[in-house]
Amino acid sequence: EAYEKIVHDGATHIAPPAAPHIIRIFTLSKSLGMAGWRVGYMLFPSSLSVGMEKIQDAIPSHATVASQELGLAALKLVAPGGTFCGWVEEQVEALRPCRSAMWNAVQSSGAIRADGAFYFLVPLPEAWRVNLKTEAEALRILAEDYRVLVLPGSAFGASGHFRMSYGSLPNELCFSAAERIKNGLEFLSFCQP
């Protein structure tokens, strides 16, 4: 449930109901912008406690106490009645101009726009795929020639696509980045073997 709080256009996150077979995993990296602190938590049925303790004991690396304390404090601050209640929603709303610009740059490519998260999954142009050119080569061109860094779709089970994030891109940089990604996709569309 990493993106539970990052929803757009009136969408709402729907959590699965509590059940004996449901484990819910949360990360503060996404939901509270605490990337790098490596802290999150799980909700699970008490019937799984013994098994969960075994798993936890076998993990060689854990969130530091400082990360855990910071995560707890952040959760309290954004909770209803907390000092920063509504902060996450304000941050998501602030993404709207960049999200819109990026979507306008890639929508004609057949990109996938989810109601949650802060990225789009964008297919490489058909001409690129038909000519058996690689994702890696496309990403290299986008990075070197168009100054846009994206992730290979194959890392997310979507070979022939790339994942484009707009979550940490300030609006003042977003609009030129959107133009560059649009130009890069146009170039890839006309590439020949």
Side-chain angles (χ1 to χ4, degrees):
E1 308 215 20
Y3 298 99
E4 66 167 336
K5 297 179 183 301
I6 304 169
V7 292
H8 307 279
D9 304 325
T12 56
H13 172 76
I14 300 172
H21 61 283
I22 299 290
I23 298 173
R24 294 177 65 199
I25 301 173
F26 301 84
T27 173
L28 304 186
S29 296
K30 305 286 191 276
S31 62
L32 296 182
M34 294 178 60
W37 289 93
R38 302 293 182 228
V39 65
Y41 60 96
M42 293 190 309
L43 299 175
F44 54 88
S46 59
S47 61
L48 298 178
S49 292
V50 172
M52 297 302 278
E53 286 176 11
K54 288 179 185 176
I55 292 170
Q56 188 271 336
D57 282 347
I59 298 172
S61 174
H62 302 283
T64 65
V65 172
S67 293
Q68 294 176 44
E69 293 289 336
L70 182 63
L72 181 59
L75 286 170
K76 288 178 180 177
L77 287 170
V78 299
T83 306
F84 294 104
C85 179
W87 178 83
V88 173
E89 293 79 8
E90 290 170 12
Q91 301 309 305
V92 172
E93 181 60 28
L95 292 174
R96 184 186 298 268
C98 186
R99 182 173 195 261
S100 179
M102 289 295 187
W103 180 246
N104 288 337
V106 300
Q107 69 178 340
S108 65
S109 71
I112 298 168
R113 180 171 90 170
D115 291 332
F118 42 73
Y119 60 86
F120 300 129
L121 200 56
V122 182
L124 291 170
E126 186 176 353
W128 187 266
R129 289 176 289 156
V130 167
N131 290 315
L132 301 176
K133 296 191 179 233
T134 67
E135 265 181 9
E137 178 64 11
L139 273 55
R140 184 196 62 73
I141 289 170
L142 291 174
E144 291 178 4
D145 298 345
Y146 294 91
R147 298 183 351 262
V148 178
L149 297 177
V150 295
L151 296 172
S154 56
F156 303 95
S159 205
H161 292 69
F162 61 86
R163 190 174 106 159
M164 180 180 78
S165 175
Y166 56 86
S168 63
L169 192 59
N171 285 334
E172 61 270 12
L173 300 176
C174 179
F175 304 115
S176 65
E179 188 64 28
R180 291 193 312 274
I181 197 74
K182 182 178 180 180
N183 293 339
L185 283 170
E186 287 174 4
F187 173 81
L188 295 176
S189 295
F190 294 106
C191 279
Q192 298 299 318

